[in-house]
Amino acid sequence: MSDSPIKTRREGAILEVTLDRPKANAIDLATSRIMGEVFREFRDDADLRVAIVTGGGEKFFCPGWDLKAAADGDAVDGDYGVGGFGGLQELRDMNKPVIAAINGIACGGGLELALSADILISADHATFALPEIRSGTVADAASVKLPKRIPYHIAMELLLTGRWFDAQEAHRWGLINEITPADMLMDRAWEQARLLASGPPLVYAAIKEIVRDAEDAKFQDAMNRITQRQLRSVDVLYDSEDQLEGARAFSEKRDPVWRGK
């Protein structure tokens, strides 16, 4: 629908998802539920391999929770829909690569949404913060994720102070992959998406499931689950046509043709 806060563009195996909810792309309960449906459909569509998530306009990627909607009755612990807030950060079995193209301010839940992606590309003017501390609440997903992504003491400073930081600092701490001029952001995101879309989808699925499963596991326990084929994506990969195709292509000195089967 044209009046939907979520716009999608599909090109081949790539889906671009744009949060376009003026003035600031804040997320209320209804928007979160729509996003969850969009990302679930992406996850379950065998013809789609990579997603890009970005914000509409040039100023905001997403400032997070819509406080105006909250004042009008949206409960902070309400029904965010499948995938939780923003439709992505709690979506189970998301075994496809997601790129966040951060086109502007990403704060609070908006930064948490970006952290749900696998690759983060930022416009050079983007700024970031976790300001929940100032409004007497907690950046819950960021409190879980951030200390695992960047140095602990930096993560704690950002969580405890809520201060703003720019793209250059975010890149310095490894929070984002790269910085690009604003007018080149989407071209770069699509370039990266096309590269990923040309790769082996069953291998991507195995990588993402292994990373999730191993996050809090001991090394040998994680390795045992892989080698004993206890992870569904690994089991599928090891019996797949793509596994054979990779070996054949290597021996025949040609590019592989990945079918996701």
Side-chain angles (χ1 to χ4, degrees):
M1 295 176 61
S2 60
D3 60 348
S4 172
I6 306 301
K7 307 295 190 298
T8 60
R9 169 191 169 195
R10 182 170 180 161
E11 179 186 294
I14 301 169
L15 180 70
E16 180 183 285
V17 180
T18 302
L19 172 58
D20 189 14
R21 190 167 180 262
K23 298 179 179 180
N25 298 332
I27 297 176
D28 61 359
L29 290 177
T31 300
S32 182
R33 290 193 289 268
I34 295 171
M35 294 175 77
E37 292 301 323
V38 168
F39 286 119
R40 178 165 63 179
E41 290 174 9
F42 162 72
R43 181 197 66 186
D44 296 342
D45 188 332
D47 293 328
L48 287 171
R49 297 187 179 184
V50 185
I52 301 168
V53 59
T54 192
E58 300 177 353
K59 185 175 180 180
F60 289 95
F61 173 73
C62 175
W65 178 236
D66 187 339
L67 294 178
K68 290 183 179 179
D72 290 337
D74 267 13
V76 69
D77 58 350
D79 179 13
Y80 291 109
V82 60
F85 181 81
L88 187 59
Q89 63 187 13
E90 296 178 61
L91 186 60
R92 294 178 62 85
D93 300 322
M94 174 54 92
N95 288 339
K96 299 177 179 180
V98 178
I99 299 167
I102 304 168
N103 58 300
I105 292 171
C107 63
L111 178 51
E112 292 175 329
L113 174 62
L115 289 173
S116 301
D118 302 295
I119 295 174
L120 281 63
I121 304 173
S122 173
D124 52 10
H125 70 281
T127 53
F128 306 84
L130 293 163
E132 283 86 345
I133 187 73
R134 299 177 184 177
S135 56
T137 189
V138 61
D140 47 12
S143 296
V144 175
K145 292 180 178 181
L146 202 62
K148 299 178 180 180
R149 306 285 182 86
I150 65 175
Y152 172 85
H153 297 97
I154 303 302
M156 292 303 293
E157 178 205 350
L158 298 177
L159 287 163
L160 293 171
T161 67
R163 72 170 176 86
W164 288 88
F165 56 103
D166 60 18
Q168 289 69 30
E169 183 176 356
H171 186 261
R172 185 165 71 247
W173 298 125
L175 188 62
I176 58 177
N177 294 78
E178 61 181 280
I179 304 170
T180 186
D183 60 355
M184 297 175 60
L185 175 65
M186 295 312 298
D187 287 343
R188 178 63 186 126
W190 274 85
E191 179 183 13
Q192 186 73 277
R194 292 186 182 102
L195 173 64
L196 294 176
S198 70
L202 296 184
V203 177
Y204 293 158
I207 290 170
K208 290 200 66 172
E209 186 173 12
I210 289 169
V211 168
R212 284 198 310 272
D213 186 74
E215 187 172 22
D216 295 313
K218 293 181 179 179
F219 174 79
Q220 196 58 56
D221 291 341
M223 288 300 300
N224 290 343
R225 285 176 57 77
I226 297 167
T227 57
Q228 296 170 16
R229 296 172 63 159
Q230 295 177 1
L231 302 180
R232 181 180 180 277
S233 62
V234 174
D235 191 48
V236 169
L237 172 65
Y238 285 173
D239 284 334
S240 69
E241 296 175 16
D242 276 4
Q243 178 89 356
L244 294 173
E245 168 63 9
R248 290 188 185 118
F250 179 81
S251 65
E252 295 168 8
K253 296 181 173 58
R254 61 173 174 82
D255 292 332
V257 179
W258 308 116
R259 301 187 185 280
K261 297 179 181 179

